[in-house]
Amino acid sequence: MYDIAIIGGGPAGATLARLIGQKYKVLLLERRTFQAPLYSGSQKCCGGLIAPGAQKMLALFGLGVPKSVISSPQMFAVRTIDIDNSLERYYQRHYINIDREEFDKWLEAMIPSGVEVINGSIYRGHEETTEYVNIKFSKAGKDYEAKTKLIVGADGAFSKVRLRAFPGQILPKKYVAIQEWFETTQNVNYYGAIFDKTITDFYSWTIPKDNYLILGSALYPNSNAHQKFNLLKAKLQRYGFEFNQSIRKNGTFLFRPEHTGQIFIGKGRVALIGEAAGFISPSSAEGLSYAFRSALALSKALSYRIESWHGVYKRNTLQLIENVWLKNLKSPFMYHHTLRRWVMKAGIKSMKLYINQ
């Protein structure tokens, strides 16, 4: 019998386990094993950038990112390509370029030893009773069950915990994020943000990482997604990008909350944090800061009594919900092609690069 079971050991789940692991008997289930080779197809589909909001949360936690997590190069410019309006601009940004698997591995390593972490496990479902939640999961082909007073869904977009417990709840708008890694010798010292309404109404990205170049895009989850992705590659080659030897390709679901009514924190014996609750930026798809902030908000709610978590957690997440609302106000200036053309033509906050040829 556990006090709290956390489904998902990414930044949200691992952070919550670290914050409450000394007070409660905690079970954490994570499908990945973080064993070599990491890039065997089970790695997180993520660009691996720590934005300023997430950096602030790491500072609040008193954490410094270790060298093993850092990728190169560390860059300070974003090349914004507006294919719709045939415009380009550079903008200064302050991201930390990381190896996402090593980052998650580091976060898991800080979980207190009293927490039972089961890697390589797959959540299969749960059933609520008046006294506890019975969780079903599997590992290495064997089925297991565990009882807990509270189950926390930290299993990302299209959360199985959320779908199982609250099938009638409205979900945020769903995309499929596709990323492909290419070996490269190009000197690409900028991140890329690409806007093309024939590809997606969201955005696409390029990220240099060590000896690779990542190309990614948030696409409609339909049969045309891979065709759109291949079209994106063809278009970007005209802008000087080289996509030669493909090393790996993966994908995941991605949420984009269009209004705050799509955010749901759970109720009863089921709580939701991170993207499972709908906490993610609708303008940039940045999720690490929301994962950390929602995990902290729930941990504070659980510092009282497990039974009274909901009301306190709801109050603790009001600022997060407001932040999502403000990001939606910002979105039209990024994603409406006429407004974006006006902003980019005006050169607001853009910069000119001086590069030796």
Side-chain angles (χ1 to χ4, degrees):
M1 183 72 181
Y2 297 90
D3 294 317
I4 298 165
I6 303 169
I7 312 302
T15 298
L16 180 62
R18 179 171 57 83
L19 294 174
I20 67 173
Q22 301 284 10
K23 181 178 176 63
Y24 292 109
K25 184 177 181 182
V26 179
L27 170 68
L28 185 142
L29 302 179
E30 166 57 37
R31 65 178 178 83
R32 293 170 295 174
T33 61
F34 299 114
Q35 295 175 353
L38 291 177
Y39 301 112
S40 60
S42 63
Q43 75 274 18
K44 175 75 173 178
C45 178
C46 172
L49 299 178
I50 306 179
Q55 294 172 32
K56 181 179 180 180
M57 291 306 301
L58 290 172
L60 290 174
F61 291 143
L63 299 176
V65 180
K67 183 178 179 180
S68 61
V69 169
I70 301 296
S71 294
S72 63
Q74 295 297 319
M75 299 165 293
F76 310 100
V78 173
R79 180 187 179 187
T80 301
I81 301 174
D82 184 345
I83 297 177
D84 295 326
N85 295 306
S86 300
L87 292 170
E88 278 194 51
R89 293 288 187 188
Y90 286 88
Y91 299 91
Q92 184 180 12
R93 291 293 184 269
H94 301 283
Y95 301 123
I96 300 175
N97 196 2
I98 60 167
D99 183 318
R100 177 56 195 271
E101 293 300 304
E102 289 294 333
F103 182 70
D104 286 8
K105 183 178 177 181
W106 169 62
L107 292 176
E108 185 181 280
M110 290 186 287
I111 295 174
S113 58
V115 175
E116 184 172 356
V117 178
I118 304 180
N119 288 114
S121 60
I122 300 174
Y123 162 82
R124 297 297 185 186
H126 70 270
E127 296 175 349
E128 292 185 60
T129 73
T130 56
E131 297 180 352
Y132 60 84
V133 180
N134 189 50
I135 300 170
K136 298 179 180 180
F137 65 98
S138 62
K139 178 180 171 65
K142 294 183 179 180
D143 296 327
Y144 299 90
E145 293 186 9
K147 294 179 175 62
T148 182
K149 297 175 185 176
L150 179 71
I151 179 173
V152 179
D155 48 342
F158 220 58
S159 162
K160 291 183 179 179
V161 175
R162 176 170 174 162
L163 291 172
R164 174 86 180 192
F166 313 107
Q169 281 293 325
I170 301 173
L171 294 173
K173 189 174 182 180
K174 186 176 69 174
Y175 292 81
V176 58
I178 297 177
Q179 282 197 157
E180 192 166 7
W181 293 57
F182 300 89
E183 283 188 347
T184 184
T185 57
Q186 275 189 292
N187 185 26
V188 182
N189 287 321
Y190 51 78
Y191 304 112
I194 302 100
F195 300 93
D196 184 343
K197 62 183 179 183
T198 67
I199 303 296
T200 177
D201 68 346
F202 211 174
Y203 79 109
S204 306
W205 57 89
T206 60
I207 300 173
K209 202 172 293 285
D210 297 322
N211 298 318
Y212 304 98
L213 178 65
I214 300 174
L215 173 63
S217 186
L219 303 155
Y220 290 125
N222 56 33
S223 59
N224 295 324
H226 287 281
Q227 295 177 13
K228 296 287 188 181
F229 190 80
N230 290 331
L231 177 60
L232 174 67
K233 279 192 287 187
K235 287 189 173 187
L236 288 181
Q237 287 174 336
R238 304 170 200 161
Y239 287 84
F241 290 96
E242 297 176 6
F243 304 113
N244 298 321
Q245 182 64 39
S246 176
I247 301 302
R248 55 185 171 269
K249 190 175 185 180
N250 58 8
T252 190
F253 287 117
L254 179 71
F255 274 165
R256 187 186 189 187
E258 297 178 295
H259 56 80
T260 56
Q262 295 171 337
I263 297 172
F264 184 67
I265 62 170
K267 63 181 180 180
R269 295 190 178 276
V270 182
L272 302 170
I273 59 175
E275 201 174 352
F279 289 124
I280 188 171
S281 170
S283 61
S284 66
E286 189 276 324
L288 285 178
S289 65
Y290 294 86
F292 293 142
R293 290 178 66 183
S294 59
L296 177 60
L298 182 57
S299 73
K300 288 181 176 179
L302 291 169
S303 65
Y304 301 96
R305 294 170 60 246
I306 292 179
E307 292 77 13
S308 60
W309 70 271
H310 186 268
V312 183
Y313 183 42
K314 186 176 181 179
R315 291 194 297 273
N316 291 347
T317 53
L318 288 177
Q319 285 189 339
L320 261 181
I321 293 172
E322 180 185 26
N323 183 270
V324 172
W325 179 76
L326 290 171
K327 294 288 187 181
N328 268 313
L329 290 182
K330 174 185 175 182
S331 289
F333 293 94
M334 297 177 64
Y335 296 104
H336 191 284
H337 69 280
T338 301
L339 291 175
R340 188 174 64 245
R341 180 177 62 205
W342 178 83
V343 171
M344 291 185 67
K345 283 195 113 178
I348 299 171
K349 294 188 176 181
S350 69
M351 62 182 186
K352 180 180 178 181
L353 267 60
Y354 297 89
I355 303 174
N356 291 330
Q357 300 296 328

